[in-house]
Amino acid sequence: MQSFDAIPETALDWHRDGSGAALATVVQTWGSAPRRAGAQLAVRGDGRIEGSVSGGCVEGAVILEAQEALADGRHRLLEFGISDEDAFAVGLACGGTIRILIEPVGGAMPEDLLADLVTARGARLPVVYEVDLETGQRRLRRDAWPERMRMDRSGLEEDGRLFVAVHNPPLRLVVVGAVHIAQALVPMARIAGFDPVLIDPRESFGHAERFPGETVLSAWPDEAIEAVGLDARTALVALTHDPKLDDPALMQALRSGAFYIGALGSSRTHGKRVERLRDAGIGEDLIARIHAPIGLDIGAAGPAEIAVSILAEMVRILRRGEEPPAS
């Protein structure tokens, strides 16, 4: 199943199947805007779209400009300035200004450059896409703009002509345990921009019919995680309640760069888990990385609400980092 945020991939597919495609990218915002710099919209030749660059009628104007760009092959830089009075009608909650770059694939944006970008994204290689808005020069770079990469922040440089689009590896969610909560969490996470991977050696749990279109690995968690790999763009949640499955997964995750590690279970259950991890030689500093009981305390009841609490905690850690507990 393709990622919810696979906009470059969609544009490349449309171009290659002969439909024509243009990419619209937010390059700068002022005031209140629902999408930040780097947000993208793919426009097919017939007007079909995927993604968004605002929350309202701006998309309508962008679609028309994109179709004109497909006709002449040149990029366009659009600016929409919205008053507070007119903001709601075009999807800018409190007024503001956005600038949007439109690039026709196969014209201003060479197909091979977009293909290289898609390949890098598929290989989980961090890259930046640079566009000189005056000369039209475009290139991909590795190991550049470290501060922008760290902050996951695309934007226009101070010179007003160089736009830097950050393409960090897609976020991933590794779910150990194809349980009822996972059936709610996986589609929620995909909509939030995560690529989910399910791990469960129990055939009755990990059956494809319970998770249509998703990647389900039937290997034991330690073997599956070794194959998948965990990095700083990956979250792992252990949901089986079975130490034979959860503990090996947690031990590997704790020694990785995963940005979030959570485990299902009560405080009492987690206390027993901590003792097992200590006995296995895991240090206190690593054990402290586990979020358990898992999820934000929102009074969740039932699998779907628990999934909401888990996803909310993952996003909080991703965007704000670890926070001290409330006193």
Side-chain angles (χ1 to χ4, degrees):
M1 183 178 292
Q2 195 171 64
S3 169
F4 184 77
D5 288 332
I7 308 305
E9 291 79 0
T10 297
L12 183 61
D13 288 345
W14 285 346
H15 171 74
R16 285 180 168 173
D17 72 15
S19 300
L23 273 171
T25 306
V26 177
V27 300
Q28 196 172 27
T29 67
W30 297 267
S32 176
R35 300 302 311 274
R36 66 178 186 170
Q40 290 191 307
L41 173 76
V43 182
R44 198 165 70 177
D46 61 4
R48 177 179 166 182
I49 61 173
E50 289 291 341
S52 65
V53 288
S54 78
C57 302
V58 165
E59 270 79 1
V62 170
I63 292 168
L64 293 176
E65 292 282 354
Q67 291 175 317
E68 292 184 10
L70 283 170
D72 63 30
R74 298 196 300 269
H75 79 240
R76 284 154 169 72
L77 187 62
L78 312 178
E79 184 171 310
F80 298 90
I82 311 299
S83 69
D84 286 347
E85 292 76 16
D86 297 331
F88 184 77
V90 296
L92 296 177
C94 301
T97 302
I98 57 175
R99 297 177 76 189
I100 297 171
L101 173 67
I102 297 178
E103 300 171 282
V105 181
M109 176 181 283
E111 177 185 347
D112 58 352
L113 187 61
L114 180 57
D116 287 345
L117 173 60
V118 167
T119 298
R121 284 164 55 91
R124 299 187 61 78
L125 298 175
V127 295
V128 294
Y129 172 63
E130 293 181 359
V131 185
D132 187 315
L133 299 178
E134 291 189 9
T135 67
Q137 182 179 2
R138 292 162 169 79
R139 63 175 177 172
L140 293 180
R141 296 180 65 190
R142 291 283 315 277
D143 303 319
W145 305 101
E147 188 66 12
R148 284 193 177 277
M149 296 297 288
R150 184 185 66 80
M151 298 177 65
D152 206 7
R153 186 61 56 86
S154 302
L156 198 63
E157 282 294 286
E158 291 183 1
D159 61 9
R161 59 183 284 179
L162 184 64
F163 173 61
V164 180
V166 171
H167 289 269
N168 273 317
L171 294 165
R172 286 189 305 178
L173 171 62
V174 176
V175 180
V176 179
V179 297
H180 198 179
I181 294 171
Q183 288 182 289
L185 178 60
V186 165
M188 291 180 190
R190 183 169 291 284
I191 290 173
F194 290 81
D195 290 336
V197 176
L198 284 143
I199 299 172
D200 201 317
R202 303 168 298 181
E203 184 176 351
S204 58
F205 284 83
H207 199 282
E209 290 182 359
R210 300 183 72 232
F211 298 91
E214 298 295 348
T215 300
V216 183
L217 305 180
S218 60
W220 283 88
D222 51 351
E223 299 173 359
I225 291 172
E226 184 70 27
V228 170
L230 302 178
D231 56 30
R233 299 280 290 175
T234 304
L236 179 138
V237 298
L239 303 179
T240 73
H241 254 180
D242 185 342
K244 297 191 303 296
L245 299 176
D246 285 352
D247 287 7
L250 291 170
M251 284 190 277
Q252 282 195 268
L254 291 173
R255 296 187 176 104
S256 77
F259 76 85
Y260 175 88
I261 303 168
L264 187 68
S266 66
S267 296
R268 184 167 177 263
T269 297
H270 185 57
K272 295 179 180 179
R273 177 187 295 126
V274 168
E275 290 301 320
R276 293 194 303 270
L277 293 175
R278 285 174 181 156
D279 291 344
I282 307 296
E284 297 291 339
D285 57 333
L286 293 181
I287 293 174
R289 296 184 62 200
I290 302 174
H291 292 267
I294 197 170
L296 295 183
D297 184 4
I298 59 174
E305 291 183 7
I306 293 171
V308 170
S309 74
I310 294 170
L311 182 59
E313 187 171 58
M314 286 165 45
V315 173
R316 189 199 72 185
I317 297 302
L318 174 68
R319 300 304 177 194
R320 293 185 177 177
E322 298 287 351
E323 297 178 351
S327 55

